[in-house]
Amino acid sequence: MRWSQSLIPTMKEVPADAEIPSHQLMLRAGLIRQLMAGAYTYLPLGWRSVQKAAQIIREEMEAAGAVELHMPALQPIELFDRTGRNEAFGSVLVRLDVTRGDRKVHLALGPTHEEVITDLISRHINSYRQLPLTLYQIQTKFRNEERPRFGVLRTSEFLMKDAYSFASTLEQLNDSYDAMYAAYCRIFQRCGLKYIPVEAESGPIGGDASHEFMIPAENGEDRIVYCESSGYAANLERAETGRKTPDLTGSNSSAAMEKVHTPNAGSIEAVCKFLKCSPEQMIKTLIYLADEKPVAVLLRGDHDANEGKIRRALGVKSIELADEKTIQSVTNAGIGFAGPVGIKCDLIADHDVPLITDAIAGANETDQHYKNVNLGRDYKLETTYDLRDACEGDPCPKSGEPMKFVHGIEVGHVFKLGTKYSESLGAEFLNEHEKREPIIMGCYGIGVNRIVAGLAETCHDENGLLWPISIAPYEVLIIPLKTDDEDLMNVAEKMYADLKEKGVDVLFDDRPARPGVKFKDADLIGIPFRIVIGGKGLQEGIAEVKARTAEDPEKIPLDQTVEYVAKQVAEAKSKLNS
């Protein structure tokens, strides 16, 4: 491709509304332009990178045994009603009412395709002999992001690879999951990404076992709990605290429990201010409805409840904070004064709660708290659980070393869905005993745009982008310094043609611009290798070859330049593929 025939509108200045490096650089390097909030046009350079990422994904998906198909973005709302996700998605789901003849048809733009693929499978898979099966697509998704931001990292329209596995046994599901997990590692390795696989919650998708693939980045919106010693990593929703059940025989304190008047102090902050204590001295008592049954959850005052952990500890399907009427019925008090002493419902506690000696807790009476509350004498526990968000410095569950927080950008996610969607949408098969069973599913997503944006966020210097060879819009940039010099241009043209013949992806900067402009643009767009041919070099019979990350160029004889550069490109690709 010739620069003069493409659309590469580079920018000198940093756009005022671009908040993070990837957004700034993708705009400045002419990769994207914003149409409106949450919607971007990919210009030629940007789209080439996206397509290269997609091609790597296709190759690895097919190597892992997945088969490509293409599903419609338009989906009937009725499918979401059957799975319960019409309500669960809320305003995120882009809904459309279209008129067809004398009737209204209720549709949605697909935020993902679990419903569509499961409906398809329900019509065509009947026997265990047809399983296992893994299908995938690369398709545009739509989600109504209330606060689209960070360029193409959070948008309302984005390109996603989603794969779905269908199995007759848990062993088949596990095999498919492991194959996709390994394929994801190869994909991100080939794309040149530094990534961390982390244990994760499944969220509104469904299922329970899942992993996210994160790019460590200062501006990442997700927080990863990470141990360098063991390699353990999990997102904040899933991370274990590394704590164990302590001694539950009770405290040795002789301090008498004392009720104190705490008017209008219904929060941890208000009680600490009133009683001049710290949150670590308090027992926080939260009332939940677990499968519609009230239960009290005890935490240390400075810790945050983790509802996924609470749900799993209780072995229930749903959990939500109780309403005021329920709280009144189990505490005889208004909101903010619940405590473990005499509460009229089951209770469970986090591992750290029994370690609080002479604790302060709600007295189950409005405007009243207890001081000197101790396990054994004042309330009892049979065991404890990990019920809270992990904190920086908590011990790693594998090594015991202190864990730290790392910010990350989610670029992929794999789930073991189980039978959530197959049961809702009637996707069943006949087993070897001629009995009908729901198909066991897995789902596996990659944000294709996020691969490119994640690289832009983490691979750059003060001059511009630093593309890995596999995702770079072009592998080599040829820069003739004098486009009005016929002899020089003839040499550059031949080099351009010879590199293309060798399968090298080349951009030819044929603009009649000053050398300084061309060099700045070359660094900005980040092509991995550049060849500079000038008048002096032509006389000496040399070209200057410079890798984007090298300090200085190398002088290579003109008749050896094509072979030399082609070899450099091949070696760079080989490193990513090894």
Side-chain angles (χ1 to χ4, degrees):
M1 174 55 66
R2 298 174 189 276
W3 195 302
S4 63
Q5 294 175 349
S6 188
L7 177 62
I8 310 174
T10 58
M11 303 166 61
K12 291 182 180 179
E13 303 299 326
V14 175
D17 59 346
E19 303 172 84
I20 61 174
S22 58
H23 191 192
Q24 296 165 1
L25 289 165
M26 292 180 79
L27 287 169
R28 289 190 59 219
L31 273 63
I32 57 172
R33 286 296 181 268
Q34 183 172 322
L35 174 65
M36 62 179 184
Y40 283 82
T41 296
Y42 281 82
L43 302 179
L45 291 185
W47 188 240
R48 286 181 69 87
S49 288
V50 169
Q51 291 295 86
K52 287 188 175 185
Q55 181 57 30
I56 290 171
I57 290 168
R58 284 190 168 94
E59 290 170 7
E60 293 298 340
M61 283 293 101
E62 290 171 18
V67 182
E68 187 171 11
L69 79 170
H70 188 82
M71 292 177 278
L74 278 177
Q75 304 179 13
I77 281 289
E78 181 265 339
L79 284 179
F80 292 94
D81 288 332
R82 289 170 63 185
T83 60
R85 292 212 297 176
N86 187 4
E87 184 177 345
F89 269 120
S91 63
V92 171
L93 194 62
V94 180
R95 297 171 177 81
L96 303 171
D97 288 339
V98 299
T99 302
R100 291 180 177 169
D102 59 353
R103 63 193 179 95
K104 289 277 189 185
V105 179
H106 306 294
L107 305 171
L109 289 176
T112 179
H113 277 74
E114 281 79 13
E115 283 82 0
V116 175
I117 194 75
T118 309
D119 179 69
L120 176 74
I121 291 299
S122 73
R123 302 170 192 270
H124 298 286
I125 298 297
N126 303 304
S127 169
Y128 74 96
R129 293 185 178 88
Q130 296 170 277
L131 300 170
L133 175 68
T134 301
L135 302 171
Y136 82 97
Q137 67 168 353
I138 296 176
Q139 165 68 299
T140 303
K141 310 291 186 183
F142 301 88
R143 296 180 188 176
N144 179 33
E145 284 283 357
E146 291 190 6
R147 293 182 63 242
R149 58 190 301 218
F150 294 161
V152 298
L153 281 175
R154 187 196 280 187
T155 54
S156 296
E157 179 181 339
F158 54 94
L159 193 66
M160 181 177 173
K161 187 286 301 178
D162 47 330
Y164 304 92
S165 66
F166 303 90
S168 61
T169 65
L170 286 176
E171 289 76 18
Q172 285 184 355
L173 169 65
N174 291 337
D175 287 345
S176 297
Y177 188 91
D178 291 345
M180 289 295 105
Y181 186 102
Y184 275 37
C185 293
R186 290 193 299 272
I187 287 165
F188 300 134
Q189 168 70 24
R190 288 182 61 188
C191 287
L193 278 172
K194 293 181 180 178
Y195 67 95
I196 302 175
V198 305
E199 295 178 15
E201 285 288 336
S202 297
I205 290 283
D208 214 29
S210 73
H211 288 83
E212 291 172 346
F213 290 79
M214 293 283 191
I215 306 169
E218 283 186 19
N219 293 302
E221 292 188 287
D222 294 290
R223 282 199 293 173
I224 307 164
V225 181
Y226 181 61
C227 173
E228 289 182 345
S229 175
S230 70
Y232 172 79
N235 69 14
L236 193 57
E237 294 173 303
R238 189 78 187 193
E240 298 176 34
T241 63
R243 307 289 186 184
K244 304 296 181 185
T245 299
D247 180 9
L248 300 179
T249 55
S251 168
N252 294 323
S253 172
S254 60
M257 188 170 69
E258 174 188 353
K259 186 186 289 186
V260 293
H261 185 51
T262 51
N264 301 315
S267 68
I268 297 292
E269 183 181 7
V271 174
C272 287
K273 185 176 181 180
F274 188 85
L275 295 179
K276 295 180 173 53
C277 64
S278 68
E280 292 88 342
Q281 293 175 264
M282 293 195 64
I283 295 176
K284 184 190 321 187
T285 305
L286 302 173
I287 312 300
Y288 282 92
L289 285 173
D291 285 351
E292 301 184 358
K293 179 184 177 183
V295 61
V297 175
L298 308 184
L299 302 167
R300 204 171 75 184
D302 59 327
H303 290 157
D304 293 322
N306 184 304
E307 293 188 357
K309 293 180 178 181
I310 295 168
R311 175 180 57 80
R312 288 191 294 275
L314 292 170
V316 296
K317 291 183 178 179
S318 67
I319 187 166
E320 60 180 342
L321 285 168
D323 56 89
E324 188 172 357
K325 183 179 178 182
T326 300
I327 293 171
Q328 178 74 37
S329 71
V330 299
T331 67
N332 293 322
I335 295 173
F337 298 94
V341 182
I343 198 164
K344 294 184 290 185
C345 66
D346 292 339
L347 60 81
I348 61 171
D350 181 74
H351 292 315
D352 289 328
V353 170
L355 303 176
I356 310 172
T357 300
D358 296 335
I360 296 167
N364 295 317
E365 184 179 337
T366 301
D367 292 339
Q368 300 290 332
H369 277 78
Y370 283 128
K371 294 172 67 175
N372 304 325
V373 174
N374 287 289
L375 178 67
R377 182 192 67 191
D378 305 316
Y379 70 100
K380 291 182 169 34
L381 295 171
E382 294 183 5
T383 188
T384 58
Y385 305 88
D386 181 359
L387 302 177
R388 64 172 174 87
D389 287 345
C391 298
E392 196 154 10
D394 277 334
C396 170
K398 291 185 177 180
S399 70
E401 294 295 315
M403 296 187 291
K404 66 179 183 179
F405 282 171
V406 179
H407 285 277
I409 297 167
E410 182 187 345
V411 71
H413 207 156
V414 292
F415 307 84
K416 293 180 182 179
L417 289 178
T419 59
K420 171 182 170 68
Y421 295 94
S422 52
E423 288 178 353
S424 298
L425 297 168
E428 298 178 333
F429 68 97
L430 283 173
N431 65 20
E432 59 268 36
H433 305 295
E434 296 295 310
K435 291 184 178 179
R436 301 200 70 81
E437 294 183 29
I439 296 173
I440 305 169
M441 293 176 57
C443 112
Y444 319 93
I446 289 178
V448 185
N449 316 69
R450 283 186 164 223
I451 290 177
V452 176
L455 285 167
E457 184 66 28
T458 56
C459 301
H460 62 266
D461 62 15
E462 66 276 12
N463 296 316
L465 295 162
L466 300 171
W467 289 115
I469 194 81
S470 56
I471 301 296
Y474 294 92
E475 295 162 348
V476 175
L477 174 63
I478 295 178
I479 303 177
L481 296 184
K482 292 185 177 181
T483 55
D484 58 354
D485 184 326
E486 186 176 350
D487 291 339
L488 189 150
M489 288 300 287
N490 285 338
V491 171
E493 290 279 4
K494 186 175 187 310
M495 200 174 288
Y496 174 54
D498 289 348
L499 281 168
K500 287 203 299 179
E501 191 173 328
K502 287 185 173 293
V504 178
D505 207 1
V506 191
L507 177 62
F508 187 13
D509 190 349
D510 58 344
R511 297 175 296 169
R514 297 190 309 274
V517 171
K518 290 189 175 189
F519 293 157
K520 282 188 176 297
D521 279 349
D523 284 343
L524 179 59
I525 66 176
I527 306 304
F529 296 96
R530 80 182 186 205
I531 303 170
V532 177
I533 307 168
K536 185 179 178 183
L538 190 62
Q539 290 176 359
E540 297 174 359
I542 62 165
E544 290 189 351
V545 177
K546 182 179 182 297
R548 174 64 180 83
T549 54
E551 288 275 335
D552 300 303
E554 295 184 70
K555 294 182 178 181
I556 308 295
L558 285 173
D559 60 353
Q560 298 176 27
T561 300
V562 168
E563 290 293 338
Y564 176 82
V565 171
K567 183 181 178 182
Q568 295 294 309
V569 169
E571 288 178 355
K573 287 180 176 178
S574 178
K575 284 181 182 178
L576 289 177
N577 291 333
S578 61

